[in-house]
Amino acid sequence: MTPDKVNSELVLARAKKARTDFLTFVSMMTQWRLAKHQKAWIKELQAVAEGETKELLLVGPPGSSKSTLVSVLFGSWLIGRNPTGHGGIISYGDKPAWERVVAVRRIIEFHPVYHLIFPHVTPNKEENWSRKSFTVVREDIADPHPTLMGAGSSGTVISYRLSWLIYDDPHDEKNTKTPYKRRQILNTYDETITTRLIEGAPIICVATRWAEDDLPGSLEKRGFRTVHQRAIVETTTKV
């Protein structure tokens, strides 16, 4: 057996493992030197994928790679594992949510390593391939819900049925100025967002804390499994 064939078989073996192991997926998709908190988050996200955790809250400061790791990488991995599912990325506004959707869309469309890991996941550009939502090729052509959609927490009305939800930065400086505005975000979460989830759908919230009564604080009090990263940790975040 030639060295090239050995290397090829090793890569294919890693790709196979990456389909079920999120740490392997991240290591293949990025050139990160994983920080301690990122390894801890990856372990928690693996537990979500395996159904051990249904409600997860990851709290960290800006610069801790929350959005890239969770919304972009974990979101694209979930789609690879189950292309027939319906995911949602919600943020404090439409624009940041759509930016995450576009980042996932680029991975599915262009990333050669992703194609190696999930060769069966292909864009369905004839049906839906916008910055707000997109659909991959799937057997049920009558399915009206996109593979992934993005929306703001206080703007767009969410009208899709979701099989998993990533709530990425529910707050910014503007919507945390007063107790009333913070309460509005919580009410939207309870009355609009969670009502769109199918039974048993996991929820992952990644956030920076702004106030004691912000949404992450409320979710922690409700029993979400919570992991805090209080210090900013330098790391390489190139995908």
Side-chain angles (χ1 to χ4, degrees):
M1 186 178 293
T2 65
D4 287 343
K5 185 172 180 60
V6 171
N7 290 335
S8 177
E9 290 186 355
L10 288 174
V11 171
L12 291 175
R14 285 192 73 204
K16 182 178 180 180
K17 184 177 180 182
R19 292 167 195 158
T20 56
D21 184 74
F22 187 49
L23 177 59
T24 304
F25 178 81
V26 173
S27 69
M28 290 190 70
M29 291 288 294
T30 74
Q31 297 179 353
W32 291 7
R33 291 176 299 173
L34 290 170
K36 184 178 179 180
H37 76 279
Q38 292 172 322
K39 292 178 181 177
W41 288 356
I42 287 171
K43 183 177 179 180
E44 296 292 343
L45 292 167
Q46 183 74 42
V48 171
E50 294 176 0
E52 298 172 8
T53 302
K54 290 296 184 183
E55 298 175 327
L56 176 64
L57 171 62
L58 301 177
V59 179
S64 52
S65 305
K66 300 187 302 298
S67 294
T68 304
L69 180 62
V70 181
S71 288
V72 180
L73 290 172
F74 190 62
S76 62
W77 187 64
L78 288 178
I79 291 170
R81 285 168 58 93
N82 181 21
T84 63
H86 311 107
I89 298 176
I90 311 298
S91 191
Y92 59 84
D94 285 338
K95 185 177 179 180
W98 295 342
E99 288 174 349
R100 278 94 162 141
V101 169
V102 169
V104 175
R105 192 185 67 176
R106 287 197 192 105
I107 285 177
I108 291 174
E109 187 173 7
F110 299 115
H111 204 301
V113 177
Y114 188 86
H115 297 163
L116 179 66
I117 297 170
F118 297 115
H120 59 291
V121 179
T122 55
N124 188 345
K125 294 185 178 181
E126 293 183 2
E127 182 175 338
N128 177 22
W129 200 250
S130 73
R131 65 172 183 155
K132 300 179 182 180
S133 65
F134 67 79
T135 301
V136 299
V137 175
R138 52 199 180 189
E139 291 184 7
D140 187 1
I141 60 175
D143 187 345
H145 304 299
T147 301
L148 181 65
M149 55 76 64
S153 60
S154 57
T156 306
V157 176
I158 302 163
S159 58
Y160 304 110
R161 299 298 291 170
L162 302 177
S163 49
W164 53 267
L165 170 68
I166 295 173
Y167 207 153
D168 189 340
D169 280 334
H171 291 289
D172 63 357
E173 186 176 359
K174 183 178 179 180
N175 70 19
T176 54
K177 284 186 175 180
T178 66
Y180 173 74
K181 287 183 176 295
R182 295 193 292 272
R183 192 163 55 251
Q184 275 187 313
I185 298 300
L186 179 60
N187 289 342
T188 300
Y189 173 80
D190 285 335
E191 298 171 7
T192 304
I193 295 174
T194 58
T195 61
R196 308 315 302 164
L197 301 176
I198 65 173
E199 185 176 355
I203 304 171
I204 306 101
C205 180
V206 288
T208 298
R209 293 301 307 275
W210 291 83
E212 287 298 320
D213 61 344
D214 59 11
L215 180 64
S218 298
L219 299 183
E220 185 171 4
K221 291 176 182 177
R222 294 180 180 186
F224 268 59
R225 178 166 176 77
T226 304
V227 181
H228 287 267
Q229 172 58 38
R230 301 184 185 281
I232 295 177
V233 178
E234 291 187 2
T235 185
T236 301
T237 58
K238 292 182 180 181
V239 177

